[in-house]
Amino acid sequence: MADEVSPSVASTSQVQFPTNIHYDPHKRDELARAIKPPNGISTRELTLQRFAELLNFSTEQDQRPKVDIGRPPNTITSTSCTKFLNTIVAKLTGENAVRIQFHEHGSQAPEDGRDGTLCRPGLIAHDKSLSTVELEPESQPPSSRTRSKAQNLTSNVEANVPAWTQLEATAEFHSSDDTLDASIIKALSYTAYHLLTRPDRVIVPGFYFSRTRLSLILTGASGTCYTNLEWTNTDHMKLLRDFVYRVIKPSQNMIDPTITRNPSGSFDIHISGAIYNECELLWLGRPIGRRTTIFLTNHPTVRIIKEQYLHTASVEAKLVKTIHRKCRAPGVVLIDDHQEFRDGDMVIACTIGKAFPDGKTRYKSRLALEDLGTPIMGTTRFVYTQENIIHRDISDGNVLFRKVPTREPASASGTAASHDASTFCSVLHLLNDNHPPDATEILVIDWEHSAVYKEQGAQESAGTPIFVARAAVRLQALHPGSGAYLPFGMPDLIPEALERYKKILKKRWEQFPARPDEALVIKKTPEVTRDWYHELRHDAESCFWLLVWWAIRVRPDNDMAASKICPAFWAFLVAPTDATRDARKGLLATIAQDQGWLDPAYAPMEDLIRNMALYLQADLHWVTKAQPPEMKDPEYLHEVFQRHIFNFLVKNKDEPFLSQGRHIQSRAVEEINRTPLLRGAWR
C-alpha cells in the first residue's frame, strides 16, 4: 500500500507469518516515530470532554453504571494499580468471578502477534473466557522470559502467556529506566500492535500509568488519541471508570459486528450475506492508515479475504474487473465478492479521525479473493498493454508465487494465449514448450493504487516506501547531474537463449533491437518538457527493489552456518525515503561494484542483480531523439530486465543453486556494525 505493507499469502500446508518489514519485530522505533506526540502525524491529545464523547455514551440503551469506584491507592505502583482496575471491573459488573481481568504482565510478550512484535506491555486486560490459561495473581507477575516459537494464535499454557487476540486492552506503567515521553510512546505503540490482531475491533483501548498521572488511549485506523488524568481528581476518576467500562463492554462504534472472534484465535467473517468460518489471520499491514488485514479461509474457492479502512470507496474491484474484461489476465488476482461498509446499518467506520484537524473518517472495505499464492514482470507489462493500467504498488506482499504454475481459465473473450505472444509469455514457456504461454507462477494482487495511465493526474503517485521507484518518491524525475552514464544499451541474448526468443517473441525482438555495446549519456535537457507521471518503468524499478529485498533475505536450507546480512547494506535498503533523501542511489553503486552481500549459496545471483542495477543509474524520463528510439517505449526497462533474467536462467538452468531449498527462516542482520562492504553507499 502507499502507507503500509500489503499481504503475503501462503499455502495452507505450511503457513508462514512474516514479520512486518516496516516495524522491527523487536523494537518500536519506526512506529514510535510515526505516533510520537506532539508531532506524530496520527496522534492527538484531546480534552477530557472531547475524549469522553468518543466513548459514545449518548444513548439510553448504552449507559454505563455510575457506581462509586472508591479512592485510588495512596501509593500507586504497578501492583496496586492493577488491583484498583480489577476493583473497578468488579463494581461495574457486580460479578464475583469477572470475565475480564487486569494482570501485571511482567517480561513476557503476548503470544504470536502476526506483526512479529515481541513488545511486552506491562499490564494487560485478559478475556478469561477465550482460554484455559490461568494467569498468576496480579501481585505475582510472570517471571519467565521465554517465548513460545509456535506459529499459532493460541495461548502458551505452559508459560502462562495469553495471545494478542485474547487481550482486551494493553497498558504501560512508567519505568524508572524510561523518560516520561518514552513510557507514553510505549503505551501508544502497544495499542497499535494490539489493533493489528483484533480485526473484530474498530478501536482498541489502552492505558499509561505513573505514580502521579495516567493517560487513557483510543487507537484505530485513522489514528490514536489520548487524554491525561490525575489520580487525585474526582472527575478524572469518573472518566477512568467509564473508560474501564468500555474495556468490558465496547460501544458499537468500537466493534465490527460482521466479525466474530473465536477462542482458537480464528475469526468468522460475513460478506454480502455469506459466512466464512474459522478464518485465520494471515498478514497484517500498518495499524495506522489503511490497516490492511488478510485472512486465510477454509472455503474451496474464496481462499482469501482482504479488508482495509479507506477514506473513499475502494476502486480495486472495479479496476480488476476492467483488467479481466477482454480476457482472463495471467497472474492477476480474481475478486469473487466485494462489500463497502459505508451506508445505513452497514457502516463500519473509525471515527477517531473526527477528533483530528482533517476530520477524516476511515470506512471498512472487504474483498473476497479466489487466488492463493506465496510471496516473491510480465503480468504488469501485459496489463499495461491490454488496458493501459499500471499497478503502482509493487511490493513483497503484492507480487506472489504459486507453487504450481497456473494457467488462467478462459473468459468470454479468451485467455492471454489468444493474443500475440509478445503481449504475455511466461518464462516457463520460453524455457519449455510443454508449458502454455499463459501458465505462470506469478500472482499480482492489491490493485487498489493502480490507475489508468492516461487518467493520472500530474504529481500523483503511490507505493510501498522501500519498494517504490526513486522518482515516484520524489514525484519528479531524478536529476542526472552533469550526465548519467549507462554503459550498455538493450542487452543481447546468449546463443542458447536467442534462438528460442526469436522463435516465440519475434516481434518483440524486432521492437527492441540489441545494442549491448552502445554506451549512453543521459542529461537533463530543455528538450524534455513533459510532466512527470508514474510510468510503467517505475513498476519495473519496484520489481528490482523487490528482487534485492528478497535476495538479501533468503537463506538456503543446507548444512552450512547461517550467513548474516551486512547491517549497513540493510540499513540503506530500508532507510526512510522522502523527496529529499534516498539512500538507494548509493546502494545501486554498491551493488554494481561490490560482492559478497548475498548468502554464498546464491552468489551467482549477484551478477544478475548487478546487470539490472546498471540500467537504473539514469532516469529514462530525460531520453531524447539523440538516444535510440526504443528507449522512449514504456516497456523498455521491462524488456531490459526480462532479457537479463532469461539469460541468467538459461545459463544457470542446471546449476544446483536454482533448485536449492529455502530455509523457513530468513537471514538475520549482523549485529556488529561493519561497513567496508558499502563503499558505494556512502557516496
Side-chain angles (χ1 to χ4, degrees):
M1 315 310 144
D3 57 352
E4 64 195 341
V5 180
S6 303
S8 295
V9 184
S11 67
T12 56
S13 60
Q14 187 176 9
V15 177
Q16 282 185 267
F17 299 96
T19 56
N20 186 326
I21 62 171
H22 286 284
Y23 304 141
D24 188 300
H26 303 283
K27 301 178 182 179
R28 288 165 279 95
D29 294 349
E30 290 193 21
L31 180 57
R33 282 195 294 269
I35 66 176
K36 182 178 180 180
N39 299 318
I41 58 174
S42 55
T43 303
R44 295 291 185 276
E45 179 181 356
L46 304 181
T47 64
L48 268 65
Q49 180 180 355
R50 186 67 188 93
F51 190 89
E53 291 173 0
L54 294 177
L55 300 182
N56 202 27
F57 287 116
S58 59
T59 63
E60 294 182 1
Q61 292 79 12
D62 192 18
Q63 289 296 317
R64 71 287 199 192
K66 297 181 179 180
V67 298
D68 182 4
I69 62 173
R71 295 171 58 87
N74 292 327
T75 301
I76 302 295
T77 65
S78 179
T79 300
S80 66
C81 182
T82 305
K83 289 183 176 180
F84 183 54
L85 292 170
N86 283 327
T87 298
I88 297 174
V89 172
K91 290 186 175 183
L92 286 170
T93 59
E95 301 173 6
N96 293 324
V98 296
R99 179 175 61 89
I100 305 296
Q101 285 190 342
F102 286 85
H103 293 270
E104 292 182 83
H105 199 50
S107 59
Q108 292 178 298
E111 276 299 296
D112 299 315
R114 287 298 184 254
D115 47 28
T117 182
L118 296 183
C119 286
R120 297 169 171 85
L123 285 74
I124 59 170
H126 175 228
D127 188 338
K128 297 196 305 178
S129 67
L130 293 174
S131 173
T132 58
V133 167
E134 288 294 335
L135 296 184
E136 299 176 32
E138 52 267 19
S139 59
Q140 301 177 23
S143 58
S144 171
R145 293 182 180 272
T146 61
R147 181 178 187 267
S148 169
K149 295 181 180 179
Q151 291 281 0
N152 58 62
L153 281 169
T154 59
S155 299
N156 181 347
V157 177
E158 181 180 353
N160 271 5
V161 180
W164 278 95
T165 56
Q166 295 163 354
L167 303 188
E168 301 305 314
T170 59
E172 177 68 5
F173 194 89
H174 182 76
S175 169
S176 59
D177 296 331
D178 287 332
T179 64
L180 174 62
D181 283 349
S183 289
I184 293 177
I185 291 170
K186 280 185 179 180
L188 294 171
S189 301
Y190 295 152
T191 62
Y193 281 118
H194 183 207
L195 184 68
L196 288 172
T197 53
R198 291 295 305 272
D200 58 315
R201 295 294 296 269
V202 177
I203 298 170
V204 296
F207 303 84
Y208 161 75
F209 299 112
S210 74
R211 289 173 173 80
T212 58
R213 54 167 284 190
L214 63 151
S215 300
L216 309 179
I217 304 167
L218 290 172
T219 298
S222 57
T224 182
C225 59
Y226 64 99
T227 192
N228 295 320
L229 311 180
E230 295 178 356
W231 291 108
T232 56
N233 188 305
T234 302
D235 289 336
H236 290 189
M237 291 301 97
K238 291 180 180 178
L239 183 58
L240 173 62
R241 174 200 63 193
D242 296 347
F243 191 74
V244 171
Y245 184 70
R246 279 296 175 234
V247 174
I248 302 169
K249 185 181 179 182
S251 64
Q252 289 302 307
N253 68 315
M254 298 176 69
I255 62 174
D256 178 350
T258 67
I259 298 183
T260 302
R261 176 179 51 158
N262 299 315
S264 64
S266 66
F267 298 87
D268 298 340
I269 303 174
H270 296 245
I271 178 171
S272 299
I275 303 177
Y276 300 90
N277 295 316
E278 300 292 329
C279 299
E280 297 286 344
L281 284 175
L282 194 55
W283 217 96
L284 307 165
R286 294 192 178 210
I288 309 299
R290 298 161 67 84
R291 192 188 161 190
T292 302
T293 305
I294 301 296
F295 302 89
L296 178 66
T297 79
N298 296 311
H299 196 275
T301 56
V302 175
R303 307 303 309 279
I304 297 295
I305 292 177
K306 166 189 170 183
E307 61 180 37
Q308 297 175 307
Y309 284 81
L310 307 172
H311 291 313
T312 58
S314 173
V315 299
E316 183 172 3
K318 179 181 178 180
L319 283 169
V320 170
K321 183 178 180 180
T322 299
I323 290 170
H324 290 301
R325 69 185 179 92
K326 293 180 180 178
C327 67
R328 171 66 201 272
V332 177
V333 68
L334 277 177
I335 295 177
D336 181 81
D337 203 350
H338 167 230
Q339 188 170 7
E340 297 284 335
F341 298 90
R342 305 179 67 87
D343 300 309
D345 296 334
M346 296 305 296
V347 172
I348 301 175
C350 183
T351 56
I352 289 178
K354 292 182 178 179
F356 293 174
D358 60 13
K360 289 185 177 180
T361 295
R362 286 181 175 267
Y363 296 86
K364 179 168 282 192
S365 173
R366 186 173 290 153
L367 298 170
L369 309 177
E370 296 184 14
D371 300 281
L372 183 67
T374 53
I376 147 125
M377 208 162 27
T379 296
T380 57
R381 188 175 189 169
F382 173 85
V383 172
Y384 178 85
T385 302
Q386 291 295 302
E387 296 294 344
N388 207 23
I389 290 176
I390 51 179
H391 189 279
R392 304 199 308 163
D393 192 11
I394 301 298
S395 70
D396 70 303
N398 293 346
V399 182
L400 314 177
F401 273 138
R402 292 173 284 197
K403 291 187 176 181
V404 178
T406 301
R407 185 177 187 184
E408 312 305 348
S411 68
S413 303
T415 68
S418 66
H419 297 269
D420 191 294
S422 62
T423 303
F424 182 90
C425 180
S426 72
V427 70
L428 295 172
H429 181 64
L430 278 174
L431 294 171
N432 189 335
D433 271 331
N434 293 327
H435 288 284
D438 59 341
T440 177
E441 294 175 318
I442 291 293
L443 177 65
V444 181
I445 69 171
D446 197 350
W447 294 82
E448 182 65 38
H449 283 296
S450 58
V452 178
Y453 175 73
K454 293 181 180 179
E455 295 178 3
Q456 286 188 100
Q459 307 298 302
E460 178 187 339
S461 189
T464 303
I466 70 169
F467 303 116
V468 68
R470 291 158 298 148
V473 172
R474 298 164 55 90
L475 293 174
Q476 61 183 3
L478 301 176
H479 197 292
S482 58
Y485 179 65
L486 290 179
F488 313 107
M490 177 61 64
D492 207 342
L493 290 169
I494 60 176
E496 302 95 308
L498 180 58
E499 180 179 357
R500 180 73 177 167
Y501 199 86
K502 282 186 174 180
K503 176 183 177 181
I504 299 176
L505 298 172
K506 180 180 178 181
K507 290 183 179 179
R508 189 183 293 181
W509 180 259
E510 295 172 349
Q511 181 183 359
F512 297 100
R515 305 178 190 271
D517 301 320
E518 185 165 353
L520 302 167
V521 176
I522 296 180
K523 299 181 179 180
K524 183 176 181 180
T525 170
E527 179 183 340
V528 178
T529 59
R530 56 183 174 272
D531 291 333
W532 184 91
Y533 295 95
H534 191 112
E535 306 272 0
L536 184 63
R537 65 173 177 272
H538 297 128
D539 280 359
E541 183 179 338
S542 291
C543 290
F544 171 81
W545 294 119
L546 174 58
L547 175 61
V548 172
W549 179 82
W550 178 85
I552 194 67
R553 297 173 68 249
V554 68
R555 172 185 169 187
D557 189 11
N558 56 25
D559 297 330
M560 304 298 293
S563 63
K564 297 294 182 70
I565 300 173
C566 171
F569 191 106
W570 182 255
F572 276 89
L573 177 61
V574 302
T577 60
D578 56 35
T580 61
R581 56 177 177 169
D582 196 326
R584 292 175 297 173
K585 178 180 180 180
L587 196 55
L588 285 173
T590 299
I591 292 171
Q593 298 174 21
D594 295 324
Q595 297 179 342
W597 46 275
L598 293 182
D599 184 275
Y602 301 108
M605 286 188 63
E606 291 185 2
D607 286 336
L608 169 64
I609 296 175
R610 182 176 301 110
N611 288 335
M612 296 169 71
L614 292 172
Y615 288 86
L616 295 175
Q617 301 284 359
D619 192 334
L620 296 178
H621 178 90
W622 304 111
V623 167
T624 67
K625 296 178 181 179
Q627 280 85 38
E630 67 273 9
M631 293 185 71
K632 296 181 181 180
D633 193 303
E635 300 179 40
Y636 181 80
L637 193 56
H638 273 69
E639 182 67 16
V640 167
F641 285 177
Q642 289 175 339
R643 286 193 189 181
H644 276 303
I645 292 171
F646 188 43
N647 272 338
F648 174 79
L649 292 175
V650 172
K651 180 180 178 180
N652 296 283
K653 63 180 183 295
D654 298 322
E655 295 297 322
F657 75 90
L658 281 184
S659 58
Q660 169 68 59
R662 180 167 63 90
H663 198 281
I664 192 171
Q665 295 180 343
S666 299
R667 295 172 77 205
V669 179
E670 175 64 58
E671 293 182 1
I672 301 174
N673 187 20
R674 296 180 298 185
T675 59
L677 196 71
L678 288 186
R679 296 191 303 271
W682 293 100
R683 295 173 182 169

